[in-house]
Amino acid sequence: MKLVMLGAPGAGKGTQAKMIADTYGIPHISTGDIFRANIKEGTELGTKVKTYMDQGLLVPDELVVDLVVDRVQKDDCKNGYVLDGFPRTIPQAESLDAALAKAGDKIDFAINVDVPDENIVERMSGRRACVSCGATYHIVSIPPKQEGICDRCGAKLILRDDDKPETVKKRLDVYHAQTQPLIDYYEKCGALKNVDGTVDMMQVFAQIQDILK
Ligand code: ADP
Ligand code: AMP
């Protein structure tokens, strides 16, 4: 089962991708998480991507495509994977498809988590991410048991720099210009599945399970 999550920043892609990964026993591959880990570790890739991320811009395709193509060829991806935050441009999708086609493979479903822009700023200003394990919460809809502390690992929760309202606006503009066209792209190849992302996270997940069964 090879899956791609589509949707605006803050639509709930990561939340759903983690549940899919846990339920179906496949890896959750988040390019945003990979970049944040590189920034934290101070790698060369981390230094390159940070300036783009801080401005709410996409990282250039050449810094992300090979990384994902290599990752999906690892052994743990044999039974499938869920890609979260990739592809984000048509050239990224084309490169992924071309790499998969070489092995006679393809993406089974592109799940589009549909949430209108009006809800996004609220979602992202309330998002809190664990500095250690990357788990995400929402201060109102999905709060941690203890304020500011990760339920999973006990580390501190923070507001991501790029979740501040001024950057969120830019990220939404970038989404509409560069990423939204992927909805048509996956519709044309018959892989697109839309889910209503405005409902409770378990109800979103139920829609996804209906698609995957
Ligand atoms: P994305 O990966 O698409 O950027 P996230 O999964 O991190 O988005 O979700 C963005 C924010 O919205 C997080 O704070 C998350 O806890 C919250 N969230 C996710 N799904 C829902 C939902 N169905 N209803 C309300 N809040 C949600
Ligand atoms: P995310 O955690 O998915 O919201 O991603 C955070 C940021 O990482 C984005 O705003 C981009 O700057 C960068 N990023 C993540 N994935 C990609 C990608 N596939 N292509 C380009 N930039 C990306």
Side-chain angles (χ1 to χ4, degrees), residues 99-126:
L100 292 177
K102 275 190 200 158
D105 232 337
K106 63 174 181 47
I107 291 297
D108 298 306
F109 297 115
I111 298 170
N112 179 37
V113 184
D114 192 19
V115 174
D117 284 10
E118 304 87 83
N119 303 16
I120 291 292
V121 177
E122 194 277 331
R123 286 259 177 116
M124 288 164 92
S125 59

PDB file of all heavy atoms in Angstrom, residues 99-126:
ATOM      1  N   ALA A  99      10.492   7.135 -10.876  1.00  0.00           N
ATOM      2  CA  ALA A  99      11.343   6.211 -10.104  1.00  0.00           C
ATOM      3  C   ALA A  99      10.562   4.935  -9.787  1.00  0.00           C
ATOM      4  O   ALA A  99      11.098   3.829  -9.882  1.00  0.00           O
ATOM      5  CB  ALA A  99      11.818   6.888  -8.822  1.00  0.00           C
ATOM      6  N   LEU A 100       9.281   5.074  -9.427  1.00  0.00           N
ATOM      7  CA  LEU A 100       8.472   3.885  -9.115  1.00  0.00           C
ATOM      8  C   LEU A 100       8.241   3.049 -10.376  1.00  0.00           C
ATOM      9  O   LEU A 100       8.295   1.815 -10.336  1.00  0.00           O
ATOM     10  CB  LEU A 100       7.126   4.297  -8.512  1.00  0.00           C
ATOM     11  CG  LEU A 100       7.168   4.940  -7.125  1.00  0.00           C
ATOM     12  CD1 LEU A 100       5.767   5.362  -6.675  1.00  0.00           C
ATOM     13  CD2 LEU A 100       7.761   3.984  -6.109  1.00  0.00           C
ATOM     14  N   ALA A 101       7.985   3.715 -11.492  1.00  0.00           N
ATOM     15  CA  ALA A 101       7.680   3.003 -12.743  1.00  0.00           C
ATOM     16  C   ALA A 101       8.840   2.098 -13.160  1.00  0.00           C
ATOM     17  O   ALA A 101       8.628   1.027 -13.725  1.00  0.00           O
ATOM     18  CB  ALA A 101       7.346   3.998 -13.850  1.00  0.00           C
ATOM     19  N   LYS A 102      10.064   2.539 -12.852  1.00  0.00           N
ATOM     20  CA  LYS A 102      11.237   1.718 -13.195  1.00  0.00           C
ATOM     21  C   LYS A 102      11.147   0.341 -12.557  1.00  0.00           C
ATOM     22  O   LYS A 102      11.676  -0.632 -13.082  1.00  0.00           O
ATOM     23  CB  LYS A 102      12.513   2.401 -12.693  1.00  0.00           C
ATOM     24  CG  LYS A 102      13.044   3.428 -13.655  1.00  0.00           C
ATOM     25  CD  LYS A 102      14.434   3.875 -13.197  1.00  0.00           C
ATOM     26  CE  LYS A 102      14.773   5.210 -13.810  1.00  0.00           C
ATOM     27  NZ  LYS A 102      15.806   5.932 -13.070  1.00  0.00           N
ATOM     28  N   ALA A 103      10.489   0.282 -11.388  1.00  0.00           N
ATOM     29  CA  ALA A 103      10.338  -1.003 -10.694  1.00  0.00           C
ATOM     30  C   ALA A 103       8.941  -1.586 -10.936  1.00  0.00           C
ATOM     31  O   ALA A 103       8.486  -2.456 -10.188  1.00  0.00           O
ATOM     32  CB  ALA A 103      10.599  -0.805  -9.203  1.00  0.00           C
ATOM     33  N   GLY A 104       8.225  -1.059 -11.936  1.00  0.00           N
ATOM     34  CA  GLY A 104       6.876  -1.539 -12.254  1.00  0.00           C
ATOM     35  C   GLY A 104       5.866  -1.201 -11.166  1.00  0.00           C
ATOM     36  O   GLY A 104       4.855  -1.899 -10.999  1.00  0.00           O
ATOM     37  N   ASP A 105       6.109  -0.128 -10.455  1.00  0.00           N
ATOM     38  CA  ASP A 105       5.312   0.234  -9.284  1.00  0.00           C
ATOM     39  C   ASP A 105       4.560   1.543  -9.497  1.00  0.00           C
ATOM     40  O   ASP A 105       4.861   2.285 -10.428  1.00  0.00           O
ATOM     41  CB  ASP A 105       6.304   0.421  -8.123  1.00  0.00           C
ATOM     42  CG  ASP A 105       5.885  -0.385  -6.928  1.00  0.00           C
ATOM     43  OD1 ASP A 105       4.695  -0.706  -6.838  1.00  0.00           O
ATOM     44  OD2 ASP A 105       6.768  -0.678  -6.106  1.00  0.00           O
ATOM     45  N   LYS A 106       3.631   1.852  -8.572  1.00  0.00           N
ATOM     46  CA  LYS A 106       2.945   3.146  -8.642  1.00  0.00           C
ATOM     47  C   LYS A 106       2.327   3.493  -7.284  1.00  0.00           C
ATOM     48  O   LYS A 106       2.244   2.618  -6.407  1.00  0.00           O
ATOM     49  CB  LYS A 106       1.857   3.104  -9.718  1.00  0.00           C
ATOM     50  CG  LYS A 106       0.762   2.107  -9.423  1.00  0.00           C
ATOM     51  CD  LYS A 106      -0.333   2.251 -10.465  1.00  0.00           C
ATOM     52  CE  LYS A 106      -1.504   1.306 -10.243  1.00  0.00           C
ATOM     53  NZ  LYS A 106      -2.051   1.202  -8.904  1.00  0.00           N
ATOM     54  N   ILE A 107       1.920   4.734  -7.134  1.00  0.00           N
ATOM     55  CA  ILE A 107       1.196   5.157  -5.929  1.00  0.00           C
ATOM     56  C   ILE A 107      -0.232   4.608  -6.022  1.00  0.00           C
ATOM     57  O   ILE A 107      -0.897   4.751  -7.057  1.00  0.00           O
ATOM     58  CB  ILE A 107       1.184   6.715  -5.838  1.00  0.00           C
ATOM     59  CG1 ILE A 107       2.592   7.257  -5.558  1.00  0.00           C
ATOM     60  CG2 ILE A 107       0.190   7.217  -4.790  1.00  0.00           C
ATOM     61  CD1 ILE A 107       3.206   6.828  -4.231  1.00  0.00           C
ATOM     62  N   ASP A 108      -0.708   3.959  -4.949  1.00  0.00           N
ATOM     63  CA  ASP A 108      -2.065   3.385  -4.979  1.00  0.00           C
ATOM     64  C   ASP A 108      -3.134   4.461  -4.753  1.00  0.00           C
ATOM     65  O   ASP A 108      -4.102   4.532  -5.492  1.00  0.00           O
ATOM     66  CB  ASP A 108      -2.191   2.299  -3.908  1.00  0.00           C
ATOM     67  CG  ASP A 108      -1.235   1.156  -4.161  1.00  0.00           C
ATOM     68  OD1 ASP A 108      -1.269   0.611  -5.283  1.00  0.00           O
ATOM     69  OD2 ASP A 108      -0.433   0.825  -3.258  1.00  0.00           O
ATOM     70  N   PHE A 109      -2.949   5.254  -3.703  1.00  0.00           N
ATOM     71  CA  PHE A 109      -3.935   6.299  -3.401  1.00  0.00           C
ATOM     72  C   PHE A 109      -3.248   7.595  -2.990  1.00  0.00           C
ATOM     73  O   PHE A 109      -2.258   7.560  -2.244  1.00  0.00           O
ATOM     74  CB  PHE A 109      -4.840   5.888  -2.236  1.00  0.00           C
ATOM     75  CG  PHE A 109      -5.669   4.669  -2.515  1.00  0.00           C
ATOM     76  CD1 PHE A 109      -5.459   3.496  -1.794  1.00  0.00           C
ATOM     77  CD2 PHE A 109      -6.665   4.686  -3.481  1.00  0.00           C
ATOM     78  CE1 PHE A 109      -6.217   2.363  -2.039  1.00  0.00           C
ATOM     79  CE2 PHE A 109      -7.430   3.559  -3.741  1.00  0.00           C
ATOM     80  CZ  PHE A 109      -7.205   2.391  -3.013  1.00  0.00           C
ATOM     81  N   ALA A 110      -3.800   8.698  -3.472  1.00  0.00           N
ATOM     82  CA  ALA A 110      -3.395  10.020  -2.983  1.00  0.00           C
ATOM     83  C   ALA A 110      -4.599  10.533  -2.194  1.00  0.00           C
ATOM     84  O   ALA A 110      -5.665  10.770  -2.769  1.00  0.00           O
ATOM     85  CB  ALA A 110      -3.075  10.937  -4.148  1.00  0.00           C
ATOM     86  N   ILE A 111      -4.439  10.628  -0.881  1.00  0.00           N
ATOM     87  CA  ILE A 111      -5.562  10.993  -0.013  1.00  0.00           C
ATOM     88  C   ILE A 111      -5.514  12.490   0.263  1.00  0.00           C
ATOM     89  O   ILE A 111      -4.577  12.993   0.888  1.00  0.00           O
ATOM     90  CB  ILE A 111      -5.498  10.183   1.298  1.00  0.00           C
ATOM     91  CG1 ILE A 111      -5.629   8.688   0.958  1.00  0.00           C
ATOM     92  CG2 ILE A 111      -6.595  10.636   2.261  1.00  0.00           C
ATOM     93  CD1 ILE A 111      -5.336   7.768   2.111  1.00  0.00           C
ATOM     94  N   ASN A 112      -6.519  13.183  -0.247  1.00  0.00           N
ATOM     95  CA  ASN A 112      -6.554  14.638  -0.102  1.00  0.00           C
ATOM     96  C   ASN A 112      -7.408  15.020   1.108  1.00  0.00           C
ATOM     97  O   ASN A 112      -8.618  14.829   1.101  1.00  0.00           O
ATOM     98  CB  ASN A 112      -7.133  15.249  -1.383  1.00  0.00           C
ATOM     99  CG  ASN A 112      -7.215  16.756  -1.303  1.00  0.00           C
ATOM    100  OD1 ASN A 112      -6.329  17.412  -0.730  1.00  0.00           O
ATOM    101  ND2 ASN A 112      -8.269  17.325  -1.857  1.00  0.00           N
ATOM    102  N   VAL A 113      -6.749  15.525   2.142  1.00  0.00           N
ATOM    103  CA  VAL A 113      -7.453  15.933   3.366  1.00  0.00           C
ATOM    104  C   VAL A 113      -7.910  17.379   3.157  1.00  0.00           C
ATOM    105  O   VAL A 113      -7.113  18.314   3.174  1.00  0.00           O
ATOM    106  CB  VAL A 113      -6.530  15.813   4.599  1.00  0.00           C
ATOM    107  CG1 VAL A 113      -7.298  16.145   5.868  1.00  0.00           C
ATOM    108  CG2 VAL A 113      -5.918  14.414   4.693  1.00  0.00           C
ATOM    109  N   ASP A 114      -9.229  17.521   2.925  1.00  0.00           N
ATOM    110  CA  ASP A 114      -9.757  18.801   2.486  1.00  0.00           C
ATOM    111  C   ASP A 114     -10.213  19.663   3.668  1.00  0.00           C
ATOM    112  O   ASP A 114     -11.125  19.286   4.405  1.00  0.00           O
ATOM    113  CB  ASP A 114     -10.946  18.499   1.538  1.00  0.00           C
ATOM    114  CG  ASP A 114     -11.382  19.723   0.793  1.00  0.00           C
ATOM    115  OD1 ASP A 114     -10.595  20.692   0.715  1.00  0.00           O
ATOM    116  OD2 ASP A 114     -12.528  19.726   0.295  1.00  0.00           O
ATOM    117  N   VAL A 115      -9.534  20.795   3.853  1.00  0.00           N
ATOM    118  CA  VAL A 115      -9.887  21.743   4.924  1.00  0.00           C
ATOM    119  C   VAL A 115      -9.803  23.152   4.324  1.00  0.00           C
ATOM    120  O   VAL A 115      -8.777  23.505   3.731  1.00  0.00           O
ATOM    121  CB  VAL A 115      -8.898  21.630   6.123  1.00  0.00           C
ATOM    122  CG1 VAL A 115      -9.157  22.704   7.162  1.00  0.00           C
ATOM    123  CG2 VAL A 115      -8.979  20.255   6.776  1.00  0.00           C
ATOM    124  N   PRO A 116     -10.877  23.969   4.445  1.00  0.00           N
ATOM    125  CA  PRO A 116     -10.813  25.306   3.856  1.00  0.00           C
ATOM    126  C   PRO A 116      -9.800  26.217   4.556  1.00  0.00           C
ATOM    127  O   PRO A 116      -9.513  26.040   5.747  1.00  0.00           O
ATOM    128  CB  PRO A 116     -12.238  25.858   4.040  1.00  0.00           C
ATOM    129  CG  PRO A 116     -12.991  24.895   4.849  1.00  0.00           C
ATOM    130  CD  PRO A 116     -12.146  23.681   5.093  1.00  0.00           C
ATOM    131  N   ASP A 117      -9.309  27.202   3.806  1.00  0.00           N
ATOM    132  CA  ASP A 117      -8.296  28.126   4.340  1.00  0.00           C
ATOM    133  C   ASP A 117      -8.728  28.765   5.671  1.00  0.00           C
ATOM    134  O   ASP A 117      -7.887  28.987   6.544  1.00  0.00           O
ATOM    135  CB  ASP A 117      -8.036  29.267   3.344  1.00  0.00           C
ATOM    136  CG  ASP A 117      -7.187  28.801   2.174  1.00  0.00           C
ATOM    137  OD1 ASP A 117      -6.970  27.580   2.045  1.00  0.00           O
ATOM    138  OD2 ASP A 117      -6.753  29.662   1.388  1.00  0.00           O
ATOM    139  N   GLU A 118     -10.033  29.061   5.811  1.00  0.00           N
ATOM    140  CA  GLU A 118     -10.518  29.748   7.028  1.00  0.00           C
ATOM    141  C   GLU A 118     -10.134  28.963   8.285  1.00  0.00           C
ATOM    142  O   GLU A 118      -9.905  29.555   9.341  1.00  0.00           O
ATOM    143  CB  GLU A 118     -12.054  29.905   7.036  1.00  0.00           C
ATOM    144  CG  GLU A 118     -12.646  30.617   5.860  1.00  0.00           C
ATOM    145  CD  GLU A 118     -12.931  29.656   4.718  1.00  0.00           C
ATOM    146  OE1 GLU A 118     -13.984  28.999   4.717  1.00  0.00           O
ATOM    147  OE2 GLU A 118     -12.060  29.560   3.812  1.00  0.00           O
ATOM    148  N   ASN A 119     -10.109  27.637   8.192  1.00  0.00           N
ATOM    149  CA  ASN A 119      -9.812  26.826   9.391  1.00  0.00           C
ATOM    150  C   ASN A 119      -8.317  26.647   9.639  1.00  0.00           C
ATOM    151  O   ASN A 119      -7.904  26.212  10.707  1.00  0.00           O
ATOM    152  CB  ASN A 119     -10.388  25.407   9.247  1.00  0.00           C
ATOM    153  CG  ASN A 119     -11.876  25.401   8.995  1.00  0.00           C
ATOM    154  OD1 ASN A 119     -12.442  26.424   8.629  1.00  0.00           O
ATOM    155  ND2 ASN A 119     -12.518  24.276   9.179  1.00  0.00           N
ATOM    156  N   ILE A 120      -7.509  26.953   8.620  1.00  0.00           N
ATOM    157  CA  ILE A 120      -6.093  26.575   8.690  1.00  0.00           C
ATOM    158  C   ILE A 120      -5.298  27.394   9.712  1.00  0.00           C
ATOM    159  O   ILE A 120      -4.516  26.840  10.475  1.00  0.00           O
ATOM    160  CB  ILE A 120      -5.458  26.683   7.273  1.00  0.00           C
ATOM    161  CG1 ILE A 120      -6.030  25.601   6.361  1.00  0.00           C
ATOM    162  CG2 ILE A 120      -3.939  26.616   7.339  1.00  0.00           C
ATOM    163  CD1 ILE A 120      -5.647  24.184   6.688  1.00  0.00           C
ATOM    164  N   VAL A 121      -5.533  28.701   9.752  1.00  0.00           N
ATOM    165  CA  VAL A 121      -4.741  29.541  10.661  1.00  0.00           C
ATOM    166  C   VAL A 121      -4.989  29.095  12.105  1.00  0.00           C
ATOM    167  O   VAL A 121      -4.060  28.979  12.906  1.00  0.00           O
ATOM    168  CB  VAL A 121      -5.063  31.041  10.461  1.00  0.00           C
ATOM    169  CG1 VAL A 121      -4.289  31.885  11.468  1.00  0.00           C
ATOM    170  CG2 VAL A 121      -4.709  31.470   9.039  1.00  0.00           C
ATOM    171  N   GLU A 122      -6.263  28.802  12.404  1.00  0.00           N
ATOM    172  CA  GLU A 122      -6.623  28.342  13.758  1.00  0.00           C
ATOM    173  C   GLU A 122      -5.932  27.005  14.062  1.00  0.00           C
ATOM    174  O   GLU A 122      -5.385  26.806  15.144  1.00  0.00           O
ATOM    175  CB  GLU A 122      -8.151  28.222  13.833  1.00  0.00           C
ATOM    176  CG  GLU A 122      -8.712  28.073  15.241  1.00  0.00           C
ATOM    177  CD  GLU A 122      -8.667  26.635  15.720  1.00  0.00           C
ATOM    178  OE1 GLU A 122      -8.740  25.732  14.869  1.00  0.00           O
ATOM    179  OE2 GLU A 122      -8.529  26.433  16.957  1.00  0.00           O
ATOM    180  N   ARG A 123      -5.933  26.103  13.081  1.00  0.00           N
ATOM    181  CA  ARG A 123      -5.283  24.798  13.268  1.00  0.00           C
ATOM    182  C   ARG A 123      -3.792  24.974  13.557  1.00  0.00           C
ATOM    183  O   ARG A 123      -3.238  24.334  14.445  1.00  0.00           O
ATOM    184  CB  ARG A 123      -5.388  23.958  11.988  1.00  0.00           C
ATOM    185  CG  ARG A 123      -6.754  23.387  11.736  1.00  0.00           C
ATOM    186  CD  ARG A 123      -6.813  21.928  12.146  1.00  0.00           C
ATOM    187  NE  ARG A 123      -8.153  21.418  11.959  1.00  0.00           N
ATOM    188  CZ  ARG A 123      -8.460  20.468  11.104  1.00  0.00           C
ATOM    189  NH1 ARG A 123      -7.544  19.925  10.356  1.00  0.00           N
ATOM    190  NH2 ARG A 123      -9.696  20.043  11.010  1.00  0.00           N
ATOM    191  N   MET A 124      -3.163  25.848  12.769  1.00  0.00           N
ATOM    192  CA  MET A 124      -1.709  25.946  12.886  1.00  0.00           C
ATOM    193  C   MET A 124      -1.251  26.781  14.069  1.00  0.00           C
ATOM    194  O   MET A 124      -0.207  26.498  14.658  1.00  0.00           O
ATOM    195  CB  MET A 124      -1.104  26.456  11.588  1.00  0.00           C
ATOM    196  CG  MET A 124      -1.205  25.362  10.545  1.00  0.00           C
ATOM    197  SD  MET A 124      -0.967  25.949   8.924  1.00  0.00           S
ATOM    198  CE  MET A 124       0.752  25.700   8.735  1.00  0.00           C
ATOM    199  N   SER A 125      -2.045  27.797  14.447  1.00  0.00           N
ATOM    200  CA  SER A 125      -1.609  28.588  15.610  1.00  0.00           C
ATOM    201  C   SER A 125      -1.791  27.764  16.882  1.00  0.00           C
ATOM    202  O   SER A 125      -1.126  28.006  17.887  1.00  0.00           O
ATOM    203  CB  SER A 125      -2.354  29.915  15.688  1.00  0.00           C
ATOM    204  OG  SER A 125      -3.734  29.667  15.787  1.00  0.00           O
ATOM    205  N   GLY A 126      -2.691  26.746  16.821  1.00  0.00           N
ATOM    206  CA  GLY A 126      -2.902  25.896  17.998  1.00  0.00           C
ATOM    207  C   GLY A 126      -2.045  24.639  17.992  1.00  0.00           C
ATOM    208  O   GLY A 126      -2.042  23.875  18.959  1.00  0.00           O
TER     209      GLY A 126
END
